[in-house]
Amino acid sequence: MTRSVYVTGIDRGDGRQVVELGVMEILSRQIDRVGVFRPLVHHHPDRLFELLRARYRLSQDPATVYGMDYHEASTLQAEQGTDELVSTLVDRFHLVARDYDVVLVLGTDFADTQLPDELALNARLANEFGASVIPVVGGRRQSVDSVLAETRNAFRAYHGLGCDVLAMVANRVARDDRDTLAEQLADRLPVSCYVLPDEPALAAPTVAQIGQALGAEVLLGDDSGLARDALDFVFGGAMLPNLLAALTPGCLVVTPGDRADLVVGSLAAHSAGTPPIAGVLLTLNERPSDGVLTLAARLAPGTPVLSVAGNSFPTAERLFSLEGKLNAATPRKAETALGLFERYVDTGDLLGRVSAPSSDRVTPMMFEHKLLEQARADRRRVVLPEGTEERVLRAAEVLLRRDVCDLTLLGPVDRIRKTAADLGIDLGDAQLIDPATAELRDAFAERYARLRAHKGVTAELAYDVVADVNYFGTLMVEEGLADGMVSGSVHSTAATIRPAFEIIKTRPESSIVSSVFFMCLADKVLVYGDCAVNPDPDAAQLADIAVQSAATARQFGVEPRIAMLSYSTGTSGSGADVDKVREATELARARRPDLKIEGPIQYDAAVEPTVAATKLPDSEVAGQASVLIFPDLNTGNNTYKAVQRSAGAIAVGPVLQGLRKPVNDLSRGALVQDIVNTVAITAVQAQSTVPTPHEKATAQ
């Protein structure tokens, strides 16, 4: 059984950090304890390990990650031979391997290493570690024939040296050549071959990386602005109209510092979104006046303006030699890299080939990975009514970079674009709609007026109502123009879900709309319902909540074992509250005899095997419940918050259930990752939605 995966190459410049990050992503989806080992390192700390540690919350001691530095290695090899070097590195590898289920090994980088026959060294280390190998071949600025030959030669080299080659990766291939190369490799090699196209955003340095490399002074700009990718360089020396015509999205404007007109003009263009730029780099050590800088800061808040001492020509030489690097300070590049990897690599097949031991534990990170993977498997469109909000825009960028779903953002389009530009966010192919001016407004008003005519809603009133972003988004879902909706980061729960109650309504088999939270504990995921919607459900409603929650749990990979909670277990108690839970349990069992349901049962007996053995020794649910149904909102809401705060659980939700189509509400304190998770959940829910007769008629 494979205990480690060794990602290596054949030369420098292959961009294999994308593959290393992608492999770590798929390993961490299934395996709780993943270690990292880099046999040889140029300097401490290693930037890729720092990224992995931050992103995957690794607890590994950094001192155990590195075998030795290259200078120590070359000295040891020269004085005592390759066998001694390999033996030392193997010993240090096993110090890591003994503590982890699987180890990701980051091979040597072929850059100024002074090691003879570096490929053979990587192959020998992989064999001694018992690792399967994923060689990466760089294809930037090469023809299809050249990359094909290099990939085949790399396979022969590693295979010929006795390596277990897991898969081959050709990276940074010209986008137009990707499909042709993939077809040819599939016919020529006996292992899986993955071809990743060149991605300009990965090669582009961030403004912060440029500033650091050039020793620039930051005159203006915040952390968000400095994190922007510089996708192009535009050198300003001509008159302003000519410069404006040359600007490209994401470019860094390089101009002498005494050209205040070009500085102000570039930032004004950015503010208008025509186009959004990465920033401005001033040369000649010239600094604009305080008045110009004040105006610049007001025109484009957060947009970086940097100053360097040299003139434009040597600055240009250095700029064109810079490349973007993945590190802990570039999380957006990491999202882009993972999106690229997941789009072009069959991650399920690759994980199966690794044959790593699967963990029974389900950590919060594993659950989040599974959500994104499920959503990506059957891509849907989700509408986000709060399109001008910063957290929503940042979440949208993550979702688009990871290729999770298609998005529609609602709000004044110019304002969305300007806010995104100010934040340095690339919205890619996201659809932007302003409900106030949309062509759909008239049709939506007619539809809403018909739906609510029994409540006295006129066409004129409906025209005003559907301009509201939540009503407009809900109508998009109802009309099949979107598959689901997520709102609530700045709107109340009522404002988010009232349109759904009026327009989408409940499923035929559901009597009410309810909710669940996915409670991600350290080693498992529990489903809590209902903690957000129904204050005091009666027995029939409680039974409905149990059945709905079981279906939601199963949809997201949690096998439902349902505990109907009460302050009493079994037949030990009586009273109206216990009787309600007992009746609800009987109703749920009658409705769904295939489900495992226990109730009434106390929380400790539901989740703790030792307590269950005493109170309900013969129960299929007691001690191992996965779906916990609370008798009322007061109990459920307080319990989920107590567990969230006291046990450090991650609460994902509330996830609404019972609607014909998915609409989900965010907490107004939702973090960016919360929004990403909720959108992914909504997309997965939409995968099982059956088209309405109205949609079928419209489609025909």
Side-chain angles (χ1 to χ4, degrees):
M1 181 173 287
T2 299
R3 278 186 50 82
S4 57
V5 179
Y6 196 117
V7 181
T8 182
I10 61 172
D11 202 352
R12 65 187 303 175
D14 53 29
R16 93 181 71 136
Q17 295 84 5
V18 173
V19 180
E20 292 166 335
L21 182 63
V23 171
M24 184 66 176
E25 179 81 7
I26 64 171
L27 290 176
S28 63
R29 287 178 189 171
Q30 185 169 318
I31 302 155
D32 184 25
R33 299 185 304 155
V34 181
V36 179
F37 185 69
R38 187 183 286 283
L40 301 175
V41 66
H42 282 288
H43 50 77
H44 301 268
D46 177 70
R47 59 181 174 80
L48 184 64
F49 172 69
E50 291 303 304
L51 169 61
L52 297 178
R53 182 164 69 159
R55 183 175 185 87
Y56 300 103
R57 306 162 198 158
L58 302 182
S59 59
Q60 183 178 350
D61 180 355
T64 68
V65 172
Y66 315 111
M68 63 182 72
D69 63 39
Y70 281 99
H71 176 72
E72 181 186 359
S74 60
T75 301
L76 181 61
Q77 187 177 39
E79 294 178 355
Q80 300 185 47
T82 300
D83 287 349
E84 185 62 28
L85 171 62
V86 170
S87 176
T88 302
L89 292 175
V90 168
D91 288 343
R92 294 178 184 178
F93 165 79
H94 283 296
L95 291 176
V96 177
R98 70 185 183 187
D99 294 329
Y100 294 92
D101 297 319
V102 65
V103 179
L104 171 62
V105 184
L106 314 176
T108 68
D109 59 13
F110 295 84
D112 303 322
T113 61
Q114 299 179 344
L115 291 171
D117 202 354
E118 199 164 339
L119 187 151
L121 176 62
N122 278 289
R124 182 171 176 187
L125 288 174
N127 290 335
E128 298 290 352
F129 294 169
S132 293
V133 176
I134 302 178
V136 182
V137 174
R140 199 172 196 195
R141 301 189 182 94
Q142 293 192 51
S143 67
V144 169
D145 289 343
S146 176
V147 182
L148 178 64
E150 285 200 6
T151 305
R152 294 174 69 188
N153 289 338
F155 170 78
R156 290 170 181 156
Y158 280 102
H159 183 69
L161 290 168
C163 292
D164 172 29
V165 179
L166 199 63
M168 297 295 301
V169 178
N171 190 31
R172 307 184 81 176
V173 173
R175 194 165 288 271
D176 291 343
D177 294 339
R178 198 216 76 87
D179 292 346
T180 300
L181 181 61
E183 289 175 7
Q184 294 192 21
L185 282 173
D187 295 334
R188 307 289 179 87
L189 290 178
V191 297
S192 295
C193 298
Y194 307 115
V195 181
L196 277 59
D198 198 20
E199 174 53 63
L202 288 175
T206 65
V207 178
Q209 289 172 336
I210 290 172
Q212 184 177 16
L214 299 182
E217 178 186 1
V218 179
L219 304 181
L220 294 175
D222 57 19
D223 290 343
S224 176
L226 291 167
R228 298 177 191 171
D229 297 323
L231 301 176
D232 191 11
F233 302 113
V234 174
F235 294 86
M239 299 299 290
L240 179 60
N242 294 325
L243 174 70
L244 294 178
L247 296 180
T248 57
C251 69
L252 181 71
V253 177
V254 184
T255 183
D258 58 0
R259 291 296 303 272
D261 58 328
L262 302 187
V263 175
V264 172
S266 300
L267 295 175
H270 171 85
S271 179
T274 55
I277 64 173
V280 178
L281 178 64
L282 306 177
T283 61
L284 300 178
N285 206 26
E286 291 281 348
R287 179 188 178 114
S289 68
D290 290 343
V292 170
L293 289 176
T294 300
L295 175 60
R298 290 177 178 173
L299 275 172
T303 298
V305 176
L306 281 61
S307 175
V308 294
N311 63 38
S312 296
F313 184 74
T315 299
E317 283 189 310
R318 296 186 66 187
L319 286 174
F320 286 119
S321 68
L322 293 177
E323 275 208 5
K325 303 293 183 183
L326 286 171
N327 57 42
T330 59
R332 292 165 62 199
K333 281 191 184 296
E335 300 294 352
T336 300
L338 287 172
L340 188 73
F341 184 86
E342 290 161 343
R343 194 174 304 127
Y344 294 103
V345 173
D346 185 341
T347 56
D349 176 67
L350 184 58
L351 183 58
R353 291 173 180 273
V354 171
S355 301
S358 178
S359 173
D360 292 332
R361 289 160 50 91
V362 180
T363 66
M365 183 169 291
M366 290 179 186
F367 182 72
E368 290 175 357
H369 290 329
K370 185 174 178 64
L371 280 182
L372 301 188
E373 193 174 17
Q374 277 186 271
R376 194 182 295 112
D378 184 7
R379 195 180 177 96
R380 299 292 163 142
R381 176 171 293 277
V382 179
V383 58
L384 305 177
E386 298 161 326
T388 60
E389 295 304 313
E390 178 178 341
R391 286 169 294 156
V392 171
L393 287 169
R394 293 194 183 282
E397 183 181 40
V398 171
L399 291 159
L400 292 168
R401 287 184 180 228
R402 295 294 300 276
D403 209 29
V404 174
C405 61
D406 297 318
L407 294 176
T408 296
L409 282 76
L410 302 184
V413 173
D414 289 344
R415 186 177 164 198
I416 294 174
R417 286 180 175 151
K418 183 181 186 307
T419 304
D422 288 342
L423 296 170
I425 288 173
D426 179 10
L427 293 177
D429 296 328
Q431 181 184 34
L432 309 181
I433 298 177
D434 183 356
T437 59
E439 293 182 5
L440 290 167
R441 185 174 177 182
D442 288 330
F444 280 3
E446 285 184 30
R447 175 77 168 145
Y448 182 71
R450 288 198 304 271
L451 286 170
R452 303 295 290 174
H454 65 289
K455 293 291 186 180
V457 174
T458 64
E460 292 77 11
L461 177 58
Y463 187 76
D464 292 334
V465 169
V466 301
D468 176 90
V469 289
N470 285 312
Y471 274 92
F472 193 93
T474 304
L475 281 158
M476 286 190 69
V477 176
E478 173 64 14
E479 296 294 295
L481 301 174
D483 300 300
M485 183 180 96
V486 174
S487 187
S489 69
V490 293
H491 288 94
S492 68
T493 295
T496 299
I497 66 176
R498 185 187 297 113
F501 289 163
E502 294 179 1
I503 297 167
I504 293 176
K505 303 180 182 177
T506 59
R507 293 175 178 266
E509 70 274 15
S510 299
S511 63
I512 59 171
V513 173
S514 64
S515 73
V516 295
F517 278 90
F518 290 99
M519 301 300 295
C520 302
L521 304 174
D523 59 352
K524 59 186 173 184
V525 175
L526 299 178
V527 179
Y528 283 10
D530 173 8
C531 305
V533 178
N534 297 285
D536 189 17
D538 61 26
Q541 292 172 330
L542 205 56
D544 200 355
I545 292 169
V547 172
Q548 290 178 7
S549 301
T552 301
R554 182 165 279 135
Q555 188 175 21
F556 291 94
V558 177
E559 184 61 29
R561 295 181 294 275
I562 305 165
M564 307 293 286
L565 297 176
S566 176
Y567 61 76
S568 174
T569 295
T571 59
S572 65
S574 62
D577 291 338
V578 180
D579 291 342
K580 180 180 80 167
V581 174
R582 185 173 289 114
E583 182 185 353
T585 303
E586 293 170 357
L587 290 171
R589 284 173 174 161
R591 182 172 162 187
R592 289 291 304 276
D594 57 307
L595 293 175
K596 296 176 181 179
I597 306 175
E598 187 65 70
I601 184 172
Q602 292 160 290
Y603 191 99
D604 58 348
V607 300
E608 178 52 51
T610 56
V611 177
T614 301
K615 294 189 174 184
L616 286 173
D618 299 322
S619 172
E620 291 185 291
V621 173
Q624 52 183 339
S626 58
V627 178
L628 298 110
I629 306 302
F630 295 91
D632 53 60
L633 185 60
N634 181 48
T635 308
N637 192 269
N638 277 296
T639 303
Y640 107 74
K641 288 182 177 177
V643 173
Q644 180 185 31
R645 300 302 177 186
S646 301
I650 295 176
V652 179
V655 178
L656 298 185
Q657 52 192 13
L659 289 167
R660 288 189 301 105
K661 296 185 176 184
V663 171
N664 281 309
D665 179 38
L666 297 165
S667 162
R668 273 171 277 184
L671 303 176
V672 171
Q673 190 60 45
D674 297 331
I675 300 172
V676 170
N677 289 340
T678 303
V679 172
I681 283 173
T682 305
V684 173
Q685 286 180 306
Q687 291 169 359
S688 62
T689 300
V690 178
T692 65
H694 174 75
E695 287 175 338
K696 291 178 180 178
T698 302
Q700 291 170 354

